[in-house]
Amino acid sequence: MRLVICDTVDYVSEWSAKYVLKRIKDFQPNENKYFVLGLPTGGTPLGMYKKLIEYHKAGKISFKYIKTFNMDEYVDLPRDHPESYHYYMYNNFFKHIDIDPKNVHILDGNAPDLMQECNEFERKIKEAGGIELFIGGIGPDGHIAFNEPGSSLASRTRVKTLAQDTLEANARFFGNDINKVPKQALTVGVGTVMDAKEVMILITGSHKAFALYKAIEEGVNHMWTVSAFQQHPRTLIICDEDATLELRVKTVKYFKALSAVHHKLIEEDGDAIPRRPLHDVQNESMGNSQ
Amino acid sequence: MPEPESSFLRQFYNCSILRHGKILKEDLWVRNGLIVDPEKIFYDEKIMPDERINCHDALISPGFIDLQINGGFGVDFSNDIDTVEEGVNKVAKKLLTYGVTSFCPTLVTSPPETYRKVLPKIKKRNGGSHGATVLGVHVEGPFISITKKGAHPEEYIRNFENGFRSLTDMYSSLENICYVTLAPEIPNALSVISELCKKDIKISVGHSVANLSDGEEAVKHGATFITHLFNAMLPFHHRDPGLVGLLTSKRIPTEKIIYYGIIADGIHTHPAALRIAHRTHPEGLVLVTDAIAALGLKEGVYRLGQYDIEVRDERAYIAGTETLCGSTAEMSHCVRFFREATGCSIVEALEAATLHPARALEIDSRKGVLNFNAEADFVMLDEALGVLSTWIAGKCVYTKNNNYVIEL
């Protein structure tokens, strides 16, 4: 696992956007080879989307050969409701870029058969060749997508009844009326995200510091579903300084010492495995032989 | 530009649009002559636009609507009786250059033969590359006050001696009429107003010596508009504010908005008077040009109704007199002048030429707005609110520079 600690929230946005940019560029998607992205909603990734739009407008990236799968959506919330994730994705990202709507997949919370909708979603991910990079955020209770505490770490895309805590936390988006908050959602499972080739999780703010601690300093536990990604071969967590407040000094220092290596990940000609220039290596070996 | 099919989807980007009283950094999507919701198309139909039009940071406003225009470009609707169809065509076409996408050709007080001949020929019709939409005729007179006749010929002014019959006898047919300007103090005027309302014809009060209570009675009977506020009515008096008082009257139904035309050409209405009107009753303000045959022409002598008129110093007078007889200003100029004179926002200035006239005519579900499912009649403006191009039903009908880059 990699933990990238950024000085500010803005830098978390920039870092993550640059990483997406780099991964897509290196992948060189074309009509026969689509890059498949898993996407989150919410406040944390907003800055990343803004940056990606900026890069698109500057001609640095095209989304023509990209397929997207979103993590979740409320059940029985009108699609054009400002709190629906369809609305969020269209207005904060899709309408600003050149993605083909045929390549966009968001769970339909108004589908007549919700179970079937979820199964179809899993099938479509498989059909697309699996997700290359799944981007996520977490809640203060460590949930990823709508996989709230106690969700199976092997869970798949399904209908999820939301916890009282979640309803209360979301009431502010629905005119402070808890009765207006959707009580169910469709969500990818922890297992669905685990299947992605790479997972990038954005965590910002002191209110998520405890969740970050649970995610990386303690064991895998279904009460903090994000901790499951300790067992994923390629997990990247991007956080700001505030989110590290509950971590040990040792942990923070350890990852900060790796920051130069991490920075290579987003450099245009960067390589994830730094090597010394060849002649240095040769000189050393010659010296040894004498 | 290829001729689009009905399903042809256009996206206008790199623009700001006036929608819901705000200037938004949004794209405008058009299909089949209507403004469409791109989010719905994105998720339901999953299709990309057939054509993308770069607006180069233009501001897109609904097309301007002029409820009172007597002619222009040498044409006078009230006088060029035999060629009125050509005349309307000519004006409709030329108005596109000013961003006007809909208008009401206006007839000043005329003899009955004129109405009989002209009215059937000015049919309501949709706009397009041939010209702006004709919403219907505005008949200004002849049922007006002799005292406030303005540039109307006195000998043709009439009363409602036989009530509504007087009106139908005069106009012969009401079919193509959408507005009637009348003086509400004329005997029988109130019953005539009620009758006109039943026929869905809008009533405007003006060319009148009515006091405020006459005006209020007219409104209670169905009048909704005041013709060129301040002009051809009693001046504002603090003990009897006259028709001007309708702007702040408390004796008319609260749910009713009184609209008033105002000529913001810098000549017919003093900037201070414009400010008074705007500050007391902004939501009813409708910019009208009241333009005459001299619109778009140089100084000289022209014909207006039964009179010769003279254009000098950018003003139009009855020849040989000092009586103003209509303006030579075009609508986009009025929008700019109004904004400058009142210091109002761009939104307010544009809505006075778009949303408000559409509301006055109760056509604001399809015209005067850029809402989804409204008709795609709009104008692209530069930063100084100068007209760059005009579009009707989503098609370009006028462009100043021909600089729209089309990307597929």
Side-chain angles (χ1 to χ4, degrees):
Chain A
M1 186 207 69
R2 289 183 157 121
L3 177 70
V4 177
I5 302 168
C6 299
D7 288 345
T8 62
V9 175
D10 287 347
Y11 195 54
V12 171
S13 302
E14 189 180 332
W15 206 102
S16 51
K18 275 189 173 157
Y19 188 69
V20 174
L21 180 74
K22 177 82 165 52
R23 286 283 274 113
I24 291 173
K25 272 198 164 172
D26 290 353
F27 190 87
Q28 295 180 314
N30 59 50
E31 60 202 298
N32 301 313
K33 193 174 87 167
Y34 278 78
F35 188 93
V36 185
L37 257 180
L39 294 176
T41 52
T44 314
L46 257 187
M48 178 192 71
Y49 288 133
K50 282 207 178 90
K51 279 280 170 196
L52 285 172
I53 292 164
E54 208 177 277
Y55 299 154
H56 170 66
K57 295 211 161 143
K60 288 182 188 168
I61 185 172
S62 165
F63 293 87
K64 208 172 164 194
Y65 299 117
I66 287 180
K67 292 186 182 179
T68 66
F69 288 87
N70 263 82
M71 294 191 131
D72 42 17
E73 176 60 289
Y74 289 112
V75 168
D76 288 342
L77 185 68
R79 195 183 64 198
D80 56 359
H81 190 286
E83 290 305 326
S84 90
Y85 294 165
H86 279 82
Y87 181 97
Y88 175 104
M89 288 310 299
Y90 182 76
N91 289 289
N92 292 312
F93 194 40
F94 295 148
K95 79 173 179 185
H96 304 286
I97 59 172
D98 62 341
I99 195 160
D100 186 332
K102 289 185 185 72
N103 295 328
V104 165
H105 305 88
I106 307 181
L107 287 155
D108 178 5
N110 293 295
D113 185 340
L114 295 174
M115 288 274 279
Q116 193 199 331
E117 174 68 17
C118 294
N119 295 338
E120 266 300 286
F121 199 73
E122 289 275 349
R123 189 188 62 75
K124 281 180 194 161
I125 292 174
K126 269 202 192 80
E127 193 180 84
I131 287 168
E132 187 68 27
L133 174 63
F134 217 130
I135 305 167
I138 62 162
D141 60 0
H143 72 253
I144 183 150
F146 270 122
N147 295 292
E148 296 171 313
S151 294
S152 160
L153 300 185
S155 55
R156 309 302 306 184
T157 305
R158 66 205 185 287
V159 186
K160 177 83 177 64
T161 301
L162 302 180
Q164 187 64 21
D165 277 0
T166 309
L167 300 185
E168 280 167 18
N170 284 351
R172 66 196 159 105
F173 300 123
F174 294 87
N176 287 318
D177 182 353
I178 198 160
N179 296 315
K180 287 189 184 149
V181 183
K183 290 176 178 51
Q184 287 186 313
L186 302 186
T187 179
V188 294
V190 180
T192 316
V193 184
M194 284 292 287
D195 284 351
K197 294 196 182 72
E198 184 170 21
V199 180
M200 178 167 76
I201 300 166
L202 314 183
I203 306 178
T204 60
S206 53
H207 62 302
K208 291 186 180 164
F210 196 68
L212 178 59
Y213 150 69
K214 284 285 185 183
I216 65 176
E217 285 188 353
E218 295 217 338
V220 173
N221 188 323
H222 68 176
M223 292 313 285
W224 299 84
T225 52
V226 66
S227 64
F229 293 94
Q230 291 176 19
Q231 296 196 317
H232 191 285
R234 285 187 72 176
T235 296
L236 186 57
I237 296 179
I238 324 295
C239 70
D240 65 348
E241 286 281 351
D242 286 352
T244 66
L245 291 176
E246 298 285 350
L247 297 183
R248 291 181 218 193
V249 174
K250 181 181 169 185
T251 310
V252 173
K253 284 198 167 165
Y254 171 78
F255 285 108
K256 278 200 168 176
L258 288 166
S259 70
V261 176
H262 291 155
H263 195 75
K264 285 273 174 201
L265 296 174
I266 55 169
E267 276 175 14
E268 272 186 39
D269 54 350
D271 195 333
I273 307 165
R275 302 289 296 269
R276 284 185 293 165
L278 196 57
H279 64 269
D280 285 1
V281 181
Q282 283 170 343
N283 287 344
E284 267 177 40
S285 60
M286 278 163 70
N288 287 344
S289 68
Q290 280 171 352
Chain B
M1 206 177 287
E3 188 62 25
E5 314 155 31
S6 63
S7 65
F8 199 86
L9 183 62
R10 276 208 175 110
Q11 175 191 13
F12 296 84
Y13 72 103
N14 269 345
C15 52
S16 305
I17 66 170
L18 169 58
R19 181 181 283 164
H20 302 313
K22 287 186 189 114
I23 290 175
L24 308 169
K25 187 81 190 125
E26 281 281 355
D27 296 348
L28 190 72
W29 291 64
V30 173
R31 181 164 62 187
N32 206 6
L34 301 179
I35 293 164
V36 291
D37 179 355
E39 188 177 338
K40 211 166 158 359
I41 291 171
F42 186 92
Y43 287 126
D44 283 340
E45 302 175 41
K46 299 183 183 293
I47 53 169
M48 309 272 273
D50 294 298
E51 185 176 273
R52 299 183 78 225
I53 297 181
N54 189 341
C55 304
H56 302 289
D57 293 324
L59 168 62
I60 301 184
S61 161
F64 301 143
I65 300 171
D66 194 348
L67 300 183
Q68 189 173 3
I69 173 165
N70 306 286
F73 317 96
V75 174
D76 173 13
F77 302 134
S78 308
N79 200 47
D80 301 334
I81 302 170
D82 298 324
T83 56
V84 72
E85 283 153 310
E86 289 162 47
V88 170
N89 290 346
K90 185 175 183 181
V91 172
K93 175 88 183 159
K94 299 255 186 180
L95 283 178
L96 301 174
T97 62
Y98 301 139
V100 175
T101 52
S102 301
F103 71 114
C104 296
T106 303
L107 299 177
V108 297
T109 296
S110 305
E113 311 86 83
T114 300
Y115 295 115
R116 201 172 55 242
K117 280 189 180 170
V118 170
L119 279 174
K121 289 185 186 167
I122 311 182
K123 295 203 183 334
K124 296 176 186 177
R125 64 153 193 233
N126 289 331
S129 51
H130 56 274
T133 297
V134 177
L135 296 168
V137 179
H138 181 168
V139 281
E140 191 188 4
F143 306 102
I144 58 172
S145 161
I146 288 179
T147 321
K148 289 291 174 191
K149 64 184 180 347
H152 293 231
E154 188 173 330
E155 63 268 35
Y156 299 121
I157 290 172
R158 292 290 178 272
N159 284 328
F160 297 115
E161 279 150 12
N162 301 315
F164 195 60
R165 268 282 305 282
S166 302
L167 183 133
T168 48
D169 286 352
M170 177 61 64
Y171 299 142
S172 299
S173 163
L174 302 181
E175 194 188 346
N176 293 328
I177 295 175
C178 76
Y179 253 105
V180 175
T181 288
L182 54 79
E185 72 276 15
I186 297 176
N188 295 332
L190 296 179
S191 65
V192 170
I193 291 172
S194 302
E195 284 301 311
L196 283 172
C197 279
K198 286 183 202 158
K199 298 189 182 303
D200 264 345
I201 293 173
K202 302 285 173 202
I203 300 98
S204 183
V205 294
H207 285 281
S208 156
V209 290
N211 58 30
L212 178 55
S213 59
D214 293 333
E216 287 162 343
E217 280 309 307
V219 171
K220 283 178 195 163
H221 281 78
T224 54
F225 204 84
I226 309 169
T227 299
H228 45 51
L229 190 77
F230 300 124
N231 287 281
M233 61 186 63
L234 290 179
F236 178 80
H237 185 280
H238 56 290
R239 278 193 292 276
D240 184 353
L243 292 179
V244 177
L246 287 175
L247 270 57
T248 51
S249 170
K250 293 209 157 190
R251 294 184 53 215
I252 51 182
T254 46
E255 73 281 359
K256 201 160 182 177
I257 294 177
I258 299 300
Y259 294 93
Y260 56 99
I262 202 157
I263 311 170
D265 63 348
I267 296 162
H268 280 76
T269 317
H270 192 281
L274 271 182
R275 287 190 283 275
I276 288 173
H278 171 248
R279 287 183 199 175
T280 49
H281 188 37
E283 65 271 32
L285 195 150
V286 175
L287 294 174
V288 295
T289 62
D290 202 12
I292 59 161
L295 167 68
L297 298 179
K298 296 193 175 82
E299 304 212 336
V301 176
Y302 304 95
R303 191 84 185 152
L304 173 63
Q306 309 293 314
Y307 288 103
D308 285 326
I309 58 106
E310 187 183 352
V311 177
R312 56 184 137 94
D313 309 328
E314 294 177 23
R315 297 173 188 223
Y317 300 94
I318 292 173
T321 74
E322 294 297 316
T323 306
L324 287 167
C325 61
S327 82
T328 58
E330 51 92 1
M331 188 55 103
S332 74
H333 169 80
C334 292
V335 170
R336 292 187 294 270
F337 185 86
F338 171 66
R339 174 162 175 253
E340 212 169 288
T342 59
C344 70
S345 66
I346 290 175
V347 171
E348 281 182 293
L350 292 174
E351 286 189 343
T354 57
L355 177 66
H356 297 174
R359 277 188 180 155
L361 268 178
E362 294 185 83
I363 53 171
D364 54 308
S365 61
R366 55 190 179 92
K367 286 201 185 289
V369 292
L370 297 180
N371 299 343
F372 300 141
N373 300 322
E375 290 166 19
D377 295 356
F378 56 88
V379 51
M380 292 194 195
L381 303 168
D382 61 25
E383 280 177 7
L385 302 183
V387 175
L388 295 170
S389 62
T390 307
W391 302 69
I392 290 182
K395 289 184 196 168
C396 188
V397 292
Y398 162 75
T399 167
K400 190 181 161 199
N401 300 324
N402 221 356
N403 65 345
Y404 295 99
V405 179
I406 291 165
E407 292 169 20
L408 287 174

